[in-house]
Amino acid sequence: MKKGFLCEPENGHLELTDKGKLEGMECLARHEKLTQFFQMVSGMDQQRAQEDACRVEHYISPEGLKGIENFLQYGDVYDRIYDDMDLYTFYEDGDFPMAFGLYEPERRNPRFLATEYEKLEQSVILRVKKSQNCFRLKTKKDESIGCVWYRRDEEWIQAKEEKGVYQLPTDIFTYTANTGIPVTEAVAIIAITRFEQKPLPIDYRELNIHVW
């Protein structure tokens, strides 16, 4: 009653206000969507699905519920965007070569490869370890591109470099995924400078990795 969902009781009966009815309809819709979702993805019976829905419906975020609505409406066929993805979930320990592009981010129609691209090996290497995952950019023999930087929490950090190999943490990338292939693309804005000075916008590059 303090929050305006219920009227003052009359004759011992509580009644919903218009605000209460709206909230009740939204709660019921969440419950029905979650019940259907649990049945679809797990094959559990309706009673167990309803029990799980009761546990979740009061705590799920709007973004989480929206994702479930998309799943129920379209199936798991649309591309989704992830940040901070742990690629260890999809790969065993090891090195995985992948195609990539390095672009000038401000030039998109058409896109232009950055000049540094020609100085790099044709594949970037995804190195997967349980303790640390990274993408490794390697320069061609007798080539140099200077200093490579990546951004975390709005701060530019110089990438570790050893013998022309630059290590970029996997958690700085934004990933695209769909149902057919768990992860299809990894994108990050990096920077390349000639010396160890903090990057300027002119130094920014878009690193686009075709994940398989």
Side-chain angles (χ1 to χ4, degrees):
M1 287 186 287
K2 289 181 178 179
K3 294 185 177 181
F5 296 115
L6 292 172
C7 300
E8 291 287 346
E10 295 182 5
N11 302 322
H13 298 290
L14 291 171
E15 290 189 4
L16 290 168
T17 62
D18 290 342
K19 179 181 178 182
K21 291 177 182 178
L22 180 61
E23 180 66 21
M25 291 172 62
E26 292 177 352
C27 186
L28 179 60
R30 286 199 301 274
H31 180 85
E32 291 175 343
K33 289 171 184 175
L34 289 167
T35 298
Q36 184 181 359
F37 174 74
F38 288 132
Q39 287 183 284
M40 288 181 66
V41 299
S42 68
M44 64 175 62
D45 60 40
Q46 187 177 38
Q47 181 177 345
R48 289 194 60 197
Q50 286 181 339
E51 291 171 356
D52 280 354
C54 285
R55 297 185 183 99
V56 174
E57 64 192 42
H58 301 291
Y59 301 99
I60 190 169
S61 68
E63 294 81 6
L65 186 62
K66 183 64 176 176
I68 288 173
E69 289 174 350
N70 286 336
F71 176 86
L72 293 174
Q73 184 173 0
Y74 304 112
D76 194 17
V77 296
Y78 57 94
D79 287 347
R80 291 155 294 166
I81 304 298
Y82 295 96
D83 291 314
D84 300 324
M85 179 178 284
D86 184 3
L87 292 181
Y88 192 78
T89 305
F90 302 103
Y91 297 90
E92 299 178 352
D93 286 358
D95 290 350
F96 304 89
M98 299 178 178
F100 75 100
L102 188 67
Y103 302 98
E104 297 181 17
E106 72 279 4
R107 303 175 71 180
R108 289 190 166 273
N109 293 307
R111 302 181 80 181
F112 283 84
L113 288 168
T115 56
E116 296 86 1
Y117 178 77
E118 295 298 328
K119 299 180 180 181
L120 296 167
E121 294 286 354
Q122 292 185 348
S123 297
V124 63
I125 303 297
L126 169 63
R127 173 160 291 180
V128 177
K129 291 184 178 181
K130 190 170 184 179
S131 58
Q132 182 182 16
N133 304 323
C134 65
F135 286 109
R136 293 164 59 88
L137 282 174
K138 183 178 181 180
T139 57
K140 294 177 180 178
K141 187 177 179 180
D142 299 328
E143 293 284 5
S144 174
I145 61 173
C147 301
V148 175
W149 304 73
Y150 62 89
R151 189 162 50 189
R152 175 175 284 139
D153 299 327
E154 303 303 320
E155 179 184 358
W156 284 103
I157 300 170
Q158 190 171 346
K160 294 181 181 179
E161 183 266 336
E162 183 178 358
K163 297 180 179 180
V165 178
Y166 300 87
Q167 296 186 28
L168 297 168
T170 57
D171 62 358
I172 67 167
F173 289 78
T174 297
Y175 297 89
T176 302
N178 63 37
T179 184
I181 307 173
V183 185
T184 60
E185 185 180 64
V187 178
I189 296 298
I190 64 172
I192 299 176
T193 61
R194 187 174 179 183
F195 304 107
E196 293 188 359
Q197 74 269 19
K198 289 288 184 180
L200 298 172
I202 195 173
D203 303 314
Y204 296 175
R205 305 289 185 266
E206 180 183 307
L207 178 57
N208 187 306
I209 298 172
H210 307 291
V211 182
W212 57 271

